Amino acid sequence: MSFEPADLIVPPGESEPLRHHRTDANLGFRNKDDAMQELAELLPELRSLHDRLNAQRTWSLLIILQAMDAAGKDGIVKHVLTGFNQQSCHVTSFSAPVGEEVNHSFLWRCTQPLPARGHIGVFNRSYYEEVLVPRVRPEYIGYQHLPPQCVAGDITHLKHDADRKKAFAEYAAKLDSRHVKAPENPPKEFWRGRLEDINAFERHLARNGTRIVKFFLHLSRAEQKKRFLTRIDDEARNWKFSSADVRDRAYWSNYHHAYSEILSTTSTPWAPWYVIPADYKYVARLAVAHTLVRELSQLHARYPKLDKAGRKALAKAKKILEQEG
């Protein structure tokens, strides 16, 4: 291996976390054919590590993939995560929340497919979309039916019941008498609260045996354009393209600003962010594979060993089988 996965981790609290990461870095993998051969050799190791994880049934692993459109998330799932045993590895793709999902907190729908002990869960997009898309396009917050008091800021700073009642009553009076609408662009306190909720949620998972590994596939604007044009020109890939993809390019800098705050605020020792250069797909896939080997190895999962009674029962079963006619 020609690079150290730890070098791709965002240090907690780092300002401008993307500044030191090039989208076109090759990480020493200069030859695509050699890189693909190395990836093929890594897949059996990933499966072996997963088999031990599954047999031990103590830890679980949650993999989160986030990126701008066309950065290669689906390719990571197809070419890397297929190395895992699919009986205990489950991929969940999240799009815009609809129906019952919007009647709950933004984290609710992501709790349903969390991996069981011994399993691996993959979130292709995740709850991080809820501190990304509506932050860049705040008009989407209105679809979540939140109480106006919650959208206006962080209500948890109201420590006393009397203060809370007074603040809620005053805000309700404004809504009734002046036809004041809930803020269309929530303040910083609102987003800070959501990021705090995510950190608390991930800490809770870590305390209960889920290792969380988060990948941000770092794609350049020029490479995204190139991939979009390929999707338009190739009939077999037309289905991957949406006109909304082009509209979102107008908000490129806004999305990157939001991602920078996400990475800085929510990269923690128990749930680190890895910034993966994504201009070269083979580099991104190999970097993710090496990182997963690193992460799974650090869990030190082992095949369970039988105690004395278990070995005795095994010997008895063997004897019965051998005596069969």
Side-chain angles (χ1 to χ4, degrees):
M1 182 173 63
S2 52
F3 86 105
E4 174 52 54
D7 293 338
L8 304 179
I9 293 177
V10 175
E14 181 183 30
S15 61
E16 300 183 47
L18 296 175
R19 178 179 56 183
H20 305 298
H21 297 274
R22 293 178 59 90
T23 61
D24 61 352
N26 61 32
L27 303 180
F29 308 124
R30 294 181 176 85
N31 182 289
K32 180 178 178 180
D33 291 337
D34 290 346
M36 291 298 94
Q37 178 60 37
E38 188 172 339
L39 176 60
E41 294 170 358
L42 278 177
L43 295 185
E45 185 174 1
L46 281 174
R47 174 163 296 223
S48 175
L49 288 165
H50 182 197
D51 285 345
R52 279 176 265 169
L53 181 83
N54 187 237
Q56 191 179 59
R57 299 270 171 166
T58 53
W59 289 98
S60 60
L61 177 68
L62 175 61
I63 300 168
I64 292 178
L65 301 174
Q66 287 287 154
M68 299 293 285
D69 290 321
K73 298 184 300 300
D74 292 344
I76 296 294
V77 172
K78 180 178 180 181
H79 296 282
V80 180
L81 304 184
T82 49
F84 294 132
N85 185 336
Q86 298 305 297
Q87 289 184 317
S88 52
C89 177
H90 309 282
V91 179
T92 305
S93 296
F94 292 98
S95 54
V98 295
E100 186 68 13
E101 295 172 341
V102 297
N103 291 323
H104 294 271
S105 76
F106 75 98
L107 289 170
W108 176 80
R109 65 175 181 160
C110 294
T111 64
Q112 313 305 303
L114 285 172
R117 301 193 191 284
H119 286 221
I120 294 175
V122 182
F123 286 180
N124 188 348
R125 300 192 187 277
S126 66
Y127 41 81
Y128 281 101
E129 292 293 297
E130 298 306 318
V131 286
L132 179 71
V133 177
R135 185 159 195 182
V136 175
R137 306 288 296 276
E139 63 269 24
Y140 293 142
I141 280 291
Y143 296 111
Q144 298 187 10
H145 310 307
L146 288 166
Q149 292 92 334
C150 295
V151 181
D154 184 356
I155 64 170
T156 62
H157 75 281
L158 300 169
K159 303 298 184 183
H160 303 289
D161 187 58
D163 294 336
R164 185 165 54 254
K165 286 181 178 179
K166 180 180 178 182
F168 279 25
E170 288 177 350
Y171 199 90
K174 289 180 181 179
L175 289 172
D176 292 338
S177 63
R178 302 181 188 178
H179 303 287
V180 176
K181 294 182 179 179
E184 295 182 356
N185 193 351
K188 290 182 179 180
E189 292 78 12
F190 176 83
W191 302 112
R192 189 180 302 121
R194 283 200 164 188
L195 292 171
E196 289 176 358
D197 291 341
I198 287 173
N199 277 340
F201 177 65
E202 291 179 344
R203 184 188 286 269
H204 163 74
L205 293 178
R207 284 172 170 163
N208 286 274
T210 297
R211 177 59 176 169
I212 305 167
V213 182
K214 301 176 293 195
F215 296 106
F216 174 67
L217 306 185
H218 192 21
L219 184 73
S220 68
R221 196 168 189 268
E223 180 61 22
Q224 187 195 57
K225 176 182 177 180
K226 178 181 174 182
R227 294 181 187 182
F228 280 168
L229 288 172
T230 299
R231 291 179 177 184
I232 291 172
D233 294 336
D234 184 352
E235 288 187 2
R237 301 185 185 184
N238 286 170
W239 64 274
K240 289 187 174 184
F241 185 76
S242 167
S243 57
D245 296 338
V246 173
R247 290 197 298 270
D248 279 343
R249 279 176 64 81
Y251 300 94
W252 183 273
S253 61
N254 304 70
Y255 277 114
H256 266 250
H257 177 75
Y259 262 125
S260 291
E261 185 171 356
I262 288 170
L263 299 176
S264 175
T265 306
T266 63
S267 189
T268 60
W270 58 88
W273 276 107
Y274 289 84
V275 177
I276 305 296
D279 278 4
Y280 299 109
K281 294 179 181 179
Y282 68 90
V283 172
R285 293 166 187 172
L286 194 50
V288 168
H290 274 297
T291 302
L292 289 174
V293 168
R294 175 185 188 269
E295 287 285 349
L296 281 166
S297 296
Q298 290 179 350
L299 296 181
H300 300 288
R302 298 287 185 269
Y303 290 112
K305 291 186 177 181
L306 295 178
D307 57 15
K308 185 176 180 179
R311 291 194 299 272
K312 185 176 180 180
L314 205 64
K316 182 178 180 180
K318 180 180 179 181
K319 185 176 181 180
I320 292 173
L321 289 171
E322 289 176 339
Q323 289 176 345
E324 286 184 358

